[in-house]
């Protein structure tokens, strides 16, 4: 009895503080909502992108053009050209936009577009936005740029206050917008796995990400715009100006800083790559690079997923899992953060039992940037292998090198989120096969049926699961073994390859914590 009353008081106090935190945040959010706006209508020849894509749309009514962006520099150049060619609007939605070299160079293109009168709507998740309010407020001060944050914290300073708010709003604060979209004039869009930052464009001096995007034109661009508008006008999104006073005097200084960045030696390879594509038409509308298809769907979790929506019928996972379950011959799956869970293992076991080839690629412990995820994934490896699933883990330094432009040793980390089914249907997007993507984050991606494009994705996956890029995990006498190489030249590791002892111990220890649902 002596212990019961203090415990009851503690629980009541915690509940009361949490309720107060959620209530006051809700009132603040309701009072701070921005004005509703929507994508601007296209015209037949109003902008350069209209003139490129309107004729293509007329000759291919109802079809969507898709171009795979597997090369990091090409993915950078595509975004830069889309911004340079925009004459009406840029709608940009990202989980992360780093304030680094490539983040600054693409930010410079966005500011230049706004200076031409292009309307820019910039939507960024707040989880990685700490300390960037001065930059965000400066951008928002531009008469043609509006910046909003998804699920933002009221406390804008890093440290105790922000941490305390996250504790009070623990249920909602961990729910994030993981979507990635770059939409220009309602005519061209880029959707996939890349955020904006050096690791995604081969500019990092350590490891760089392997990733995929799709450049989209035609019918499905309207679907991407609808996703953006749904988020932009949602109750989970607030304008940055709700958190501080805009300072117009900072705009000239920002332009000068971005111009200095563009004249630095490290910027040269990126600007040269953009210049090598003489105009937007050569990169954005290259007929040899586009695949035109009728069966293309762009799907996203709804923004209210971040508010604990009760109905899950319109969540992205409910479109992905039936498609995977329909495989009759082959399922190739790539997920950098792969935690299938007991249900996922059983579903994959069922496919393999029907004679379907199931191959999954994820990061090795030495290559991953999130050890906690690897620790949780490790629990399922043996069950996956016993079920007949092929399991591959990306090397931290693939032998088929893609060296960084700035002196890294070719280090790599997987960031691609994609799969193909039976060589006829594919998906590229932001969705990881882990509990966070399924239940907590909002995700989006493109589903497509087109033999040639699916084959391109299959070829990318085939290269990355090859012995030069990945270890193959196998079972020998019931124990995990990593095959390094192929055939008679293969060597075998009996522990996590190329990972330090400390990293192995840390991943194992973290993997036993009861946090899988948050990973």
């Amino acid at each position: 009895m002596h212990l019961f009353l203090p415990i009851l008081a503690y629980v009541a106090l915690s509940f009361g503080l949490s309720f107060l935190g959620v209530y006051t945040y809700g009132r603040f959010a309701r009072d701070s909502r921005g004005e509703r706006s929507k994508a601007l209508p296209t015209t037949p020849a109003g902008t350069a992108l209209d003139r490129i894509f309107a004729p293509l749309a007329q000759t291919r009514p109802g079809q969507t053009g898709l171009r795979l962006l597997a090369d990091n520099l090409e993915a950078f150049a595509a975004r830069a050209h889309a911004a340079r060619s925009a004459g009406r609007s840029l709608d940009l939605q990202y989980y992360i936009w780093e304030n680094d070299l490539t983040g600054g160079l693409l930010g410079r293109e966005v500011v230049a577009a706004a200076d031409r009168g292009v309307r820019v709507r910039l939507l960024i998740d707040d989880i990685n936005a700490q300390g960037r309010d001065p930059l965000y407020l400066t951008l928002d001060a531009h008469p043609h740029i509006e910046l909003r944050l998804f699920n933002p914290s009221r406390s804008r300073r890093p440290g105790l206050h922000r941490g305390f708010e996250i504790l009070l709003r623990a249920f909602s604060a961990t729910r994030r917008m993981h979507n990635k979209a770059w939409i220009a004039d309602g005519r061209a869009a880029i959707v996939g796995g890349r955020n904006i930052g050096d690791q995604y464009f081969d500019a990092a001096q350590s490891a760089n990400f392997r990733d995929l995007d799709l450049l989209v034109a035609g019918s499905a661009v309207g679907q991407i715009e609808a996703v953006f508008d749904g988020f932009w006008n949602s109750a989970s999104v607030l304008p940055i100006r709700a958190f501080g006073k805009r300072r117009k005097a900072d705009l000239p200084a920002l332009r000068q800083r971005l111009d200095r960045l563009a004249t630095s030696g490290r910027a040269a390879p990126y600007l040269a790559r953009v210049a090598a594509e003489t105009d937007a038409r050569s990169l954005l509308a290259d007929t040899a690079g586009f695949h035109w298809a009728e069966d293309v769907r762009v799907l996203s979790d709804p923004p209210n997923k971040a508010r604990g929506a009760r109905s899950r019928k319109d969540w992205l996972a409910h479109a992905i899992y039936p498609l995977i379950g329909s495989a009759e011959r082959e399922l190739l799956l790539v997920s950098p953060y792969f935690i299938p869970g007991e249900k996922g293992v059983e579903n994959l076991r069922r496919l393999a039992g029907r004679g379907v080839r199931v191959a999954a690629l994820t990061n090795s412990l030495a290559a991953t940037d999130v050890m906690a995820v690897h620790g949780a994934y490790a629990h399922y490896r043996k069950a996956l292998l016993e079920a007949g699933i092929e399991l591959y883990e990306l090397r931290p330094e693939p032998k088929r090198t893609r060296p960084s432009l700035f002196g890294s040793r070719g280090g790599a980390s997987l960031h691609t989120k994609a799969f193909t089914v039976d060589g006829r249907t594919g998906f590229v997007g932001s969705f990881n096969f882990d509990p966070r993507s399924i239940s907590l984050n909002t995700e989006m991606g493109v589903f497509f049926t087109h033999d040639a494009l699916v084959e391109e994705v299959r070829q990318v996956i085939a290269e990355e699961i090859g012995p030069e890029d990945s270890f193959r995990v196998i079972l020998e006498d019931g124990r995990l073994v990593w095959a390094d190489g192929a055939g008679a030249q293969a060597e075998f590791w009996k522990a996590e390859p190329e990972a330090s002892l400390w990293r192995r111990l840390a991943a194992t220890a973290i993997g036993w914590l009861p946090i899988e649902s948050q990973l």
Side-chain angles (χ1 to χ4, degrees):
M1 187 66 179
H2 292 291
L3 288 175
F4 177 74
L5 290 178
I7 291 173
L8 181 64
Y10 174 78
V11 171
L13 178 62
S14 299
F15 178 81
L17 288 174
S18 294
F19 176 81
L20 180 63
V22 172
Y23 175 75
T24 57
Y25 182 88
R27 290 198 59 178
F28 167 75
R30 285 194 298 273
D31 295 340
S32 304
R33 294 274 300 276
E35 294 183 6
R36 296 180 64 85
S37 65
K38 291 191 174 183
L40 300 177
T42 59
T43 62
T47 72
L49 294 177
D50 286 328
R51 293 187 288 274
I52 292 172
F53 290 110
L56 294 174
Q58 289 177 352
T59 59
R60 298 176 174 87
Q63 294 188 15
T64 295
L66 299 172
R67 176 174 176 172
L68 192 65
L69 299 176
D71 179 79
N72 284 345
L73 260 69
E74 184 181 40
F76 174 90
R79 288 168 170 82
H81 268 297
R84 289 186 181 187
S85 304
R88 180 172 45 248
S89 63
L90 284 174
D91 291 335
L92 313 174
Q93 180 178 10
Y94 281 95
Y95 175 62
I96 296 173
W97 192 309
E98 297 287 6
N99 187 21
D100 55 14
L101 173 67
T102 55
L105 292 176
L106 290 174
R108 179 172 177 261
E109 300 291 351
V110 171
V111 172
D115 288 343
R116 299 194 306 270
V118 174
R119 186 192 74 172
V120 177
R121 295 187 295 174
L122 182 54
L123 176 56
I124 300 175
D125 187 88
D126 188 55
I127 193 66
N128 295 292
Q130 293 186 45
R132 296 181 183 173
D133 282 15
L135 171 61
Y136 291 166
L137 289 165
T138 299
L139 288 169
D140 190 74
H142 196 294
H144 298 297
I145 298 177
E146 184 175 0
L147 192 149
R148 295 185 180 182
L149 298 173
F150 183 88
N151 194 12
S153 171
R154 284 188 71 181
S155 177
R156 306 309 301 165
R157 295 181 181 179
L160 183 62
H161 288 86
R162 190 176 177 100
F164 187 62
E165 181 183 337
I166 290 174
L167 285 176
L168 292 181
R169 294 200 301 120
F171 178 77
S172 61
T174 60
R175 295 172 178 267
R176 310 315 318 174
M177 180 193 75
H178 200 230
N179 302 38
K180 291 102 174 168
W182 184 291
I183 314 166
D185 284 352
R187 290 294 189 182
I190 300 170
V191 174
R194 289 183 178 92
N195 292 296
I196 305 300
D198 286 354
Q199 284 185 297
Y200 303 91
F201 302 117
D202 281 343
Q205 296 186 19
S206 54
N208 287 285
F209 284 126
R210 300 280 184 90
D211 218 328
L212 289 179
D213 291 321
L214 284 170
L215 175 58
V216 184
S219 178
V221 176
Q223 300 174 38
I224 301 170
E225 286 185 309
V227 170
F228 183 93
D229 285 348
F231 275 82
W232 184 258
N233 296 309
S234 76
S236 296
V237 169
L238 296 178
I240 185 62
R241 67 191 68 167
F243 301 99
K245 185 178 180 180
R246 293 186 293 176
R247 295 179 289 180
K248 294 184 179 181
D250 288 341
L251 266 172
L254 175 61
R255 289 192 185 94
Q256 290 176 8
R257 180 173 70 82
L258 295 176
D259 286 342
R260 286 195 303 270
L261 183 67
T263 60
S264 67
R266 296 182 74 243
Y270 293 90
L271 299 182
R273 180 57 184 264
V274 175
E277 306 285 349
T278 54
D279 57 24
R281 187 178 299 275
S282 67
L283 180 63
L284 302 182
D286 176 12
T287 55
F290 269 97
H291 302 282
W292 290 86
E294 293 183 358
D295 187 5
V296 177
R297 294 180 298 155
V298 178
L299 296 180
S300 170
D301 289 314
N304 65 8
K305 180 181 179 182
R307 300 171 68 83
R310 292 176 182 241
S311 173
R312 299 189 173 197
K313 292 181 180 180
D314 55 350
W315 289 14
L316 183 59
H318 284 264
I320 287 176
Y321 285 109
L323 179 57
I324 286 176
S326 72
E328 297 177 351
R329 299 186 308 277
E330 179 188 75
L331 169 65
L332 300 182
L333 186 155
V334 184
S335 181
Y337 314 115
F338 183 42
I339 308 175
E342 299 294 344
K343 184 177 180 181
V345 171
E346 182 55 36
N347 289 337
L348 295 177
R349 178 186 288 113
R350 196 175 295 120
L351 284 178
R354 298 204 311 256
V356 177
R357 180 203 177 196
V358 181
L361 169 66
T362 191
N363 275 308
S364 65
L365 176 57
T368 188
D369 61 325
V370 186
M371 282 194 298
V373 169
H374 190 89
Y377 147 74
H379 293 305
Y380 300 102
R381 280 189 294 210
K382 187 174 181 181
L384 289 166
L385 294 170
E386 289 174 339
I389 284 81
E390 298 174 26
L391 199 54
Y392 301 88
E393 295 180 359
L394 189 75
R395 295 170 175 272
E397 294 187 18
K399 296 177 182 178
R400 187 171 59 91
T401 57
R402 298 179 184 178
S404 166
L405 294 172
F406 304 112
S408 86
R409 296 173 296 169
S413 184
L414 188 68
H415 202 258
T416 301
K417 305 95 163 51
F419 64 83
T420 66
V421 176
D422 292 340
R424 69 171 188 271
T425 304
F427 170 87
V428 173
S430 69
F431 184 92
N432 292 299
F433 285 82
D434 63 11
R436 174 158 288 278
S437 282
I438 294 169
S439 302
L440 298 177
N441 289 347
T442 68
E443 308 286 357
M444 70 182 297
V446 183
F447 298 82
F448 50 90
T449 300
H450 188 286
D451 290 350
L453 179 57
V454 172
E455 183 58 26
E456 277 194 42
V457 178
R458 287 185 75 252
Q459 287 302 315
V460 171
I461 297 173
E463 288 183 356
E464 293 193 335
I465 66 176
E468 292 187 336
D469 282 20
S470 294
F471 305 106
R472 181 168 181 178
V473 190
I474 58 177
L475 283 177
E476 284 190 356
D477 299 325
R479 295 175 61 89
L480 294 179
V481 176
W482 287 259
D484 184 351
Q489 304 301 316
E491 298 179 355
F492 298 91
W493 297 70
K494 295 184 178 180
E496 302 272 8
E498 300 188 25
S500 66
L501 177 61
W502 178 88
R503 198 169 177 86
R504 294 175 197 168
L505 292 174
T508 300
I510 295 172
W512 287 112
L513 296 176
I515 57 174
E516 183 173 313
S517 64
Q518 300 298 306
L519 298 175

